[in-house]
Amino acid sequence: MKIKDAMSVIGSLSKPSKMPGFSFGLNPNLCNQGNILSQIEGSVCNKCYAKKGFYNVYKKQMAETWAKRLNGVNNILFESAMITLIQKKSPDYFRWHDAGDLQNMEHLKKIVRIARALPNTKFWMPTKEVNLIRSYNKTYGEFPSNLVVRVSGFMVDKGASKGFKNTSTVTTNKTLATCRAFENGGKCNECRNCWDSNINNIVYLEH
Ligand code: SF4
């Protein structure tokens, strides 16, 4: 598939300034678990970063961008388009969902197939869709080794979700944060810990 055809399927990739490589974000208002959590004081979604800052300033454009990408996810050419774009633009590291989250099991299965098709690319996907992840693992087994699925804890200053190999949590205490991006102008620089399946839990400082 040509790049321009791939772009016409998915609309665009996102390029978070923090990290290496590209990402693919969706509308945070469509998060299934996230929208339940956003109503709960003290949850990690109560002050969702993807609903404020840059995303809020450009919210009209972002809404259009996210809508195109969601159409892309549901397009039968989604996998071919993403494989083409990742190979060309982000062959080493790719992050799923700098905003938004998994929509359903079919979406997750597409992401797994993309990882299998690109064994030399490292994928990291944070998610709060615990039931989808449990259901996938029960039915289909482990994820490919190049796809690190980090299940995000639901509440700030609380522990990780139980029963998953890779997780993340959020703290308000700088000394407890293992992600030190806040010391580097919010950038990952050389750190790639989120993509490393040997690191069980990452602790982020609350945004
Ligand atoms: S732990 Fe490392 S790779 Fe992950 S967000 Fe922080 S700086 Fe980036």
Side-chain angles (χ1 to χ4, degrees):
M1 184 181 279
K2 291 180 179 162
I3 293 267
K4 75 175 175 49
D5 296 330
M7 292 300 270
S8 75
V9 172
I10 65 124
S12 60
L13 297 176
S14 41
K15 180 72 185 76
S17 56
K18 176 181 187 176
M19 56 193 54
F22 283 78
S23 182
F24 181 83
L26 292 169
N27 192 333
N29 293 310
L30 299 178
C31 292
N32 297 312
Q33 185 64 54
N35 274 324
I36 297 169
L37 289 172
S38 68
Q39 309 298 318
I40 302 172
E41 189 80 24
S43 80
V44 295
C45 296
N46 190 238
K47 299 176 190 167
C48 176
Y49 72 88
K51 293 179 183 171
K52 57 187 185 182
F54 170 87
Y55 299 99
N56 193 40
V57 171
Y58 296 100
K59 63 183 170 189
K60 185 167 178 294
Q61 294 96 314
M62 288 311 302
E64 289 167 6
T65 298
W66 285 327
K68 274 189 201 159
R69 291 187 192 149
L70 186 61
N71 282 337
V73 170
N74 295 321
N75 190 313
I76 55 168
L77 295 175
F78 178 68
E79 288 162 55
S80 303
M82 288 302 301
I83 289 166
T84 299
L85 291 171
I86 292 166
Q87 272 178 321
K88 293 282 182 195
K89 291 176 172 288
S90 198
D92 299 323
Y93 293 92
F94 190 83
R95 173 184 172 171
W96 285 106
H97 309 140
D98 57 311
D101 207 335
L102 288 168
Q103 298 295 294
N104 50 46
M105 182 60 84
E106 194 49 40
H107 185 188
L108 175 56
K109 285 161 73 176
K110 288 179 181 181
I111 284 171
V112 170
R113 288 196 290 265
I114 290 166
R116 288 212 172 99
L118 296 171
N120 296 322
T121 304
K122 290 184 183 297
F123 293 89
W124 155 41
M125 182 173 67
T127 181
K128 293 176 192 71
E129 299 298 335
V130 289
N131 292 333
L132 265 184
I133 301 305
R134 279 202 187 99
S135 175
Y136 180 95
N137 290 148
K138 194 172 168 198
T139 309
Y140 304 105
E142 295 294 310
F143 293 109
S145 60
N146 62 325
L147 172 61
V148 175
V149 175
R150 278 192 192 281
V151 174
S152 317
F154 287 179
M155 303 300 289
V156 176
D157 289 327
K158 300 288 183 197
S161 297
K162 302 278 185 234
F164 300 99
K165 181 183 177 200
N166 293 115
T167 56
S168 65
T169 51
V170 174
T171 181
T172 54
N173 184 340
K174 277 187 180 177
T175 59
L176 297 179
T178 58
C179 170
R180 306 304 293 181
F182 63 88
E183 293 175 333
N184 303 312
K187 300 207 181 297
C188 295
N189 291 345
E190 302 308 310
C191 180
R192 301 290 181 268
N193 287 351
C194 289
W195 285 268
D196 186 344
S197 63
N198 293 316
I199 298 179
N200 299 120
N201 189 59
I202 307 252
V203 186
Y204 303 106
L205 187 65
E206 187 182 41
H207 285 277

